[in-house]
Amino acid sequence: MRIRIEVQSALDKFILPQGYNPYVQGLINACIPEDIKWSGIATGTEEAHFKLFTFSQLYAKSVERIDVAPREGVEPDGRVHYQLVMSSPVWFYLSSPSPEFIQALSPRLEQAHDLHLERNLVQSVRVSAAYPVTIPAHGLVTLRIRTISPITVYQSESKDSNSAHYFAPDDPLFAKLVLDNAVRKYYAWTQEKAPSDGFSISCLDHTPHLAVISFKDTPVHGYTGRFQLTGDARLLAFLYESGLGGKNSNGFGMFDIAPEREDDAHWRRR
């Protein structure tokens, strides 16, 4: 299930850091009912820790990027630091395979008070149904997709995100790790073995765009662009709702089904 969340500022704009994902996640988390239960909790397995939702980047009618200097005493890291000045309202998309989660979250978002996006006071939130997308119910399906938040694929020897090794789409392990993650999430949600036969993912862009997102001061490497996704219809429908790759509930791995015509590309931003 997928919704569009429109956020109105108490002023006429939002000023946000380049790594705004934790603040969008914080707005969502502030409105998640305490009694929401994620499938798999009773099993005591690693899969029980998945929060099966994902969200997109922020959209606005106008966005201005302002470069900022690193703070005094902080060693340069070779990356450009910037803030975003976004007109109000901003909007984003959120999806989950759990209709109960979406139905419980939506009214709480609209009725909440004293919400913030970073330091920006929120005046109001409006939730609406997202555009309808139809994925075949059975058989092997091939989809052309566009990311609306970066896909991050990594391995880590510890819980320390700074030790993570990230994989690009042209790495042979990229598709394997995407599938491994999908299988674990599918089992967490259904308690059934994922229909994984025939799965593949490949980048359609000559050079996929690397997006380095600062999440709570930790750089997360993800990739945006166009991909071709093949797999069992049941698994692809699940991934459409839960996201590809890792860190989905941190705002990674959300995708759209690409329109057949390139000049229809604006449709998802309505």
Side-chain angles (χ1 to χ4, degrees):
M1 191 171 183
R2 185 168 288 204
I3 54 175
R4 181 184 187 272
I5 301 171
E6 183 177 285
V7 185
Q8 184 78 44
S9 171
L11 302 176
D12 61 348
K13 61 186 176 183
F14 288 93
I15 300 176
L16 295 165
Q18 63 189 100
Y20 57 67
N21 287 42
Y23 306 111
V24 179
Q25 184 189 53
L27 183 146
I28 296 166
N29 286 343
C31 298
I32 295 177
E34 294 182 0
D35 58 350
I36 285 292
K37 303 296 184 183
W38 297 106
S39 179
I41 288 178
T43 68
T45 65
E46 178 185 357
E47 288 80 6
H49 299 293
F50 285 119
K51 288 185 177 181
L52 293 175
F53 69 88
T54 188
F55 58 90
S56 74
Q57 68 187 58
L58 291 176
Y59 297 103
K61 289 185 177 179
S62 68
V63 180
E64 181 183 2
R65 171 174 155 167
I66 301 175
D67 291 345
V68 295
R71 293 174 305 202
E72 186 177 351
V74 176
E75 290 295 326
D77 57 8
R79 294 186 289 122
V80 175
H81 294 257
Y82 59 88
Q83 287 184 324
L84 297 172
V85 180
M86 310 182 79
S87 62
S88 180
V90 296
W91 64 94
F92 64 97
Y93 298 96
L94 181 145
S95 70
S96 172
S98 171
E100 293 79 12
F101 167 70
I102 298 292
Q103 291 163 3
L105 177 70
S106 297
R108 291 173 67 96
L109 282 167
E110 293 189 320
Q111 297 165 12
H113 300 284
D114 298 324
L115 290 177
H116 288 77
L117 270 179
E118 211 255 350
R119 299 181 183 180
N120 303 271
L121 179 62
V122 171
Q123 182 180 55
S124 63
V125 177
R126 186 170 70 91
V127 179
S128 57
Y131 43 82
V133 170
T134 301
I135 297 175
H138 305 285
L140 202 64
V141 176
T142 295
L143 303 174
R144 290 169 60 92
I145 67 171
R146 282 195 181 94
T147 59
I148 54 175
S149 59
I151 300 173
T152 183
V153 177
Y154 65 96
Q155 284 183 325
S156 181
E157 295 181 358
S158 69
K159 294 183 178 180
D160 179 10
S161 297
N162 290 312
S163 68
H165 176 73
Y166 292 92
F167 296 85
D170 59 357
D171 191 298
L173 281 176
F174 181 88
K176 177 184 181 302
L177 292 173
V178 168
L179 177 58
D180 289 348
N181 174 271
V183 167
R184 294 196 305 274
K185 288 187 298 198
Y186 189 91
Y187 179 79
W189 178 242
T190 65
Q191 301 297 293
E192 297 177 359
K193 182 180 178 181
S196 58
D197 289 347
F199 182 88
S200 68
I201 180 171
S202 58
C203 185
L204 297 173
D205 296 334
H206 179 68
T207 304
H209 176 68
L210 170 63
V212 181
I213 307 296
S214 177
F215 192 92
K216 297 181 179 179
D217 295 325
T218 298
V220 177
H221 294 226
Y223 288 85
T224 62
R226 300 174 303 151
F227 290 80
Q228 181 167 292
L229 192 60
T230 299
D232 186 282
R234 293 167 294 172
L235 182 59
L236 297 197
F238 170 77
L239 292 173
Y240 178 74
E241 301 292 5
S242 62
L244 283 165
K247 301 183 182 292
N248 302 133
S249 64
N250 292 349
F252 292 89
M254 194 172 188
F255 65 89
D256 268 343
I257 311 300
E260 294 183 3
R261 297 190 312 166
E262 290 300 317
D263 58 359
D264 287 339
H266 70 281
W267 70 295
R268 61 175 170 76
R269 294 189 174 94
R270 291 183 298 180

